[in-house]
Amino acid sequence: MRVIGYLRVSTITQEHGLDAQRASITAEAKRRGWQVEWIEDAGKSGKDIDRPGITAALAMLKAREADALVVAKLDRLSRSLADFARLLESAAKQGWSVVALDLGIDTTTPTGKLVANVMAAVAQWERETIGLRTKEALAAAKAKGVHVGRPQGQDPAVVRRIRRWRKAGMTYRTIADRLNADAVVLPGGGAKWHPNSVRTICARMARI
C-alpha cells in the first residue's frame, strides 16, 4: 500500500521531533509493508489544516497517488477535532484511509473505523452546538437593536480559502461546516453557511 507519511513540528528548532515521528511511521511501514512518501510541515502550527504540506498531501490522495495518510500522532495532523472529522469525511468520499498511530485510528480496519466514527460524531455535535450559539448570539444582538449588516460581497480572503479548500478536494458541505466553525459571515448576512452557499461562490469564481 502506498502511504503518505506526514510530519509536522511547530517550530523549525524541533527537528528532533520530525526524526521521532519518521521513526515511528517507518517502523509501522516496515511491519505492514507500506511504501512511504514523506511530506512535512516544519515550523507550522496545528491549529488548522491551512498548511502547504497537508494541502499537497490531500491533493495527492484525491488524485489516487497514495492510498492512506499516516501520522505518528494525531495532533501532528490537527489539534482540531472538527478539522479531523472533515478529513475523515473527505477520506471516505474519495476512497483513501487515515492512520494515527498513537490513538489506534486506522480506517483500513473495522476497529479503527469505529474509533474514527466516534470522533466524527463528537465533532458533529460540536458543530451543531456552535451553530446554535451563533443563532442565539445573532438573536440577542437584534433584540438589543444591533444592526446585523448585509455585506454586498464576500471578503476576498474567504474566497481564497474556499478556492484553496476546493483544490484540496474538500466538499461543499465540509467547507460550509468549517466556515461556520470559524464564525465567517455570509455575504448576505445570514446566520449559517450551507453547501449551496459555497457552491454559489465557487460558481462566481468560475465566471471570473
Side-chain angles (χ1 to χ4, degrees):
M1 185 167 75
R2 301 165 302 167
V3 307
I4 294 174
Y6 177 72
L7 316 172
R8 183 188 67 80
V9 289
S10 298
T11 65
I12 58 176
T13 60
Q14 296 176 307
E15 291 184 2
H16 63 283
L18 293 176
D19 292 339
Q21 294 170 52
R22 190 186 301 270
S24 295
I25 295 173
T26 297
E28 186 69 8
K30 183 177 180 180
R31 186 180 74 84
R32 299 176 65 171
W34 292 340
Q35 297 176 0
V36 184
E37 177 158 346
W38 301 99
I39 291 181
E40 64 181 58
D41 276 316
K44 300 295 181 180
S45 170
K47 65 180 181 180
D48 56 41
I49 57 174
D50 289 334
R51 290 167 250 143
I54 195 63
T55 298
L58 293 174
M60 289 178 62
L61 290 159
K62 182 182 180 182
R64 306 308 296 270
E65 295 174 9
D67 304 305
L69 179 64
V70 183
V71 290
K73 295 183 178 181
L74 181 59
D75 66 0
R76 299 302 86 193
L77 182 57
S78 176
R79 290 197 176 99
S80 165
L81 182 57
D83 279 344
F84 179 62
R86 295 182 192 107
L87 285 175
L88 290 175
E89 180 182 353
S90 294
K93 290 182 177 180
Q94 296 172 9
W96 46 275
S97 301
V98 180
V99 180
L101 300 179
D102 62 330
L103 297 181
I105 296 171
D106 182 349
T107 60
T108 67
T109 69
T111 300
K113 284 182 180 178
L114 175 62
V115 174
N117 287 337
V118 169
M119 296 184 72
V122 173
Q124 177 64 29
W125 168 82
E126 184 180 61
R127 288 196 297 268
E128 292 176 356
T129 300
I130 290 172
L132 179 60
R133 289 174 180 169
T134 300
K135 289 181 180 179
E136 291 174 344
L138 287 172
K142 290 179 180 178
K144 293 179 180 179
V146 177
H147 175 66
V148 179
R150 288 181 170 270
Q152 295 301 311
Q154 184 59 59
D155 183 346
V158 175
V159 174
R160 288 194 295 272
R161 289 169 69 185
I162 292 173
R163 180 184 290 114
R164 183 168 62 251
W165 290 338
R166 283 295 293 166
K167 286 184 178 179
M170 290 189 182
T171 65
Y172 294 126
R173 180 172 297 282
T174 298
I175 293 173
D177 287 342
R178 180 153 186 181
L179 292 170
N180 286 326
D182 292 344
V184 175
V185 178
L186 275 162
K192 185 177 181 180
W193 286 82
H194 296 279
N196 282 339
S197 310
V198 179
R199 185 180 289 107
T200 297
I201 289 180
C202 289
R204 290 174 182 168
M205 288 191 295
R207 292 195 296 268
I208 295 175

